[in-house]
Amino acid sequence: MKLNRQHLDRLAAPIALPAYRADATQQGIVHIGVGGFHRAHQAVYTEALMNRGEALDWSICGVGLRGADRAMRDALAAQDYLYTLVELGDDAHGAVRVVGAISGMLLAEDSPQALIDKLADPAIRIVSLTITEGGYCMDDSSGEFLAELPDIQHDLARPEAPRSVFGFLCAALARRRAAGTPAFTLMSCDNLPHNGAVTRKALLSFANLADPGLAAWIEANVSFPNAMVDRITPMTSAAHRQQLAERHGIEDAWPVVCEPFVQWVLEDKFVNGRPAWEKVGVQFTDDVTPYEEMKIKLLNGGHMALTYLGFLKGYRFVHEAMNDPLLRRYLRTFMDQDVTPQLAPVPGIDLEAYKDTLIERFSNQAIADQLERICSDGSSKLPKFIVPTLNRLIADERPLERAALVLAAWALYLEGVDERGERFAIADPRAAECQQLVADRERISTRLLGAEAIFGTAIPNSAAFVAAFQRNLDSLRSQGVTATLETLLA
């Protein structure tokens, strides 16, 4: 049965359905970058509140800035913007719910003006983002805004027809300022350190180039809460769609599958109201930093430590890599000995129990999380999830061998062939550039680690780290992943 509002009354338990009428809602949030994670996280928290009969004026208008977003818009529009969320865990019968918190979606390429109008609408009080780690136009090594990017230069020259997220935001905020409309809160939900602060710096950098007066108004009126977001959400596959149809009779063009675990820690810094998300599990705090450091260094950093080694060995799913005793032991040792000593106490969190939970989550076979998903965009992920840990290890003169293996595995991964001889494509916007850095095997240490945009300056200037990297790379080449880990963990 095709998913849409007309057929909702034909769905039965255990499928959870929206408990509110669509015509009783009003859009109060614009979310830019509608993908699996947003639909499994922020939208689900908002849905839970709406199902209580609250926050009906906080429905979400999705936005796509890229041509590739049309497929998502078309899939959702054909289903009255409903979609199915399936939680996959050890229990074979995970929760299944139909979510209706997203009530529309705009595509920038269809009408830039319609998107500016929506962002300028006084009813919109929060604009949220999942635009990926690389979408903030920031140089990873210097922390500076990349004003020279083509879309940024286009938007500075043609502010009435923007292409970039910052061009659209500034065009709308200029309208709100001129009309005396209160500003919105700009809330990043991306996985990057201090995501609110990064968003603030990027937007103000663009605004200062476009209109310094507007930049001053934004600085005084827009808030940028930092957030820690967490839920493993693999790419939706044809098998997921088929299982949903076979088990529950729902034909959904783009369902979402995710793990049962979900967490959102959010700074309570909103300038124009917010949903009462604390009623449905969101933890509000004055400072998200310790939670963010814990999650990014342990979960995301742990993913980086696992993924390239696992992929090189021929595994394609996270749980397969976790079923390898050596990889599992390496991951836990990396978390225990290299990462945990760097973390400050986290209020309300037992770090040992948290790491146990991560091991359990990574081992979740039902979710079938793809290593390819985690391998992707390494040139953007490594600077945020691994490089800070490496810099601290270097500064503290701690052992470097385990951490250097992460980069050595990435270097070998960039050659595009696993230990079984199977070739694969590198999913990274900078793939060609990165593969050039490893093309000359004799100079990889110098060329790859010397890429300041990825690794900064501390790593290439540490003779001890460069030597550890080269030893691990040589070992991976000559002996393979298993023998390298056996030697490292002996």
Side-chain angles (χ1 to χ4, degrees), residues 127 169 183 302:
V127 175
L169 291 170

Side-chain angles (χ1 to χ4, degrees), residues 233-265:
T233 309
M235 297 178 286
T236 303
S237 68
H240 292 138
R241 295 182 181 90
Q242 184 177 349
Q243 288 171 5
L244 183 62
E246 290 175 352
R247 295 178 184 177
H248 301 286
I250 299 176
E251 294 180 20
D252 188 333
W254 211 321
V256 180
V257 294
C258 59
E259 64 175 337
F261 181 93
V262 62
Q263 188 176 21
W264 192 5
V265 183

Side-chain angles (χ1 to χ4, degrees), residues 245-362:
E246 290 175 352
R247 295 178 184 177
H248 301 286
I250 299 176
E251 294 180 20
D252 188 333
W254 211 321
V256 180
V257 294
C258 59
E259 64 175 337
F261 181 93
V262 62
Q263 188 176 21
W264 192 5
V265 183
L266 183 57
E267 290 176 351
D268 200 356
K269 299 174 182 176
F270 290 76
V271 293
N272 200 357
R274 63 166 176 81
W277 282 313
E278 69 275 12
K279 294 182 179 181
V280 290
V282 176
Q283 180 179 348
F284 283 95
T285 181
D286 292 331
D287 182 12
V288 79
T289 302
Y291 301 92
E292 177 184 85
E293 288 279 306
M294 172 192 74
K295 190 262 178 174
I296 285 175
K297 287 193 170 187
L298 286 174
L299 188 151
N300 298 113
H303 264 158
M304 294 289 95
L306 183 72
T307 191
Y308 299 113
L309 289 168
F311 208 92
L312 287 172
K313 227 186 150 182
Y315 302 132
R316 291 300 177 261
F317 295 96
V318 178
H319 68 269
E320 292 177 338
M322 291 299 292
N323 287 337
D324 185 313
L326 278 172
L327 280 171
R328 188 184 185 101
R329 188 171 148 219
Y330 165 70
L331 172 63
R332 186 62 191 240
T333 305
F334 172 76
M335 292 195 297
D336 287 345
Q337 298 187 24
D338 298 322
V339 178
T340 302
Q342 301 184 9
L343 299 176
V346 186
I349 300 290
D350 178 331
L351 284 178
E352 293 306 306
Y354 181 77
K355 287 181 287 187
D356 291 342
T357 301
L358 290 182
I359 297 296
E360 181 182 338
R361 292 169 64 194
F362 289 2

Side-chain angles (χ1 to χ4, degrees), residues 115-130:
L115 176 51
I116 294 170
D117 290 346
K118 173 57 72 172
L119 290 165
D121 186 338
I124 301 302
R125 289 150 288 159
I126 294 173
V127 175
S128 52
L129 307 172
T130 46

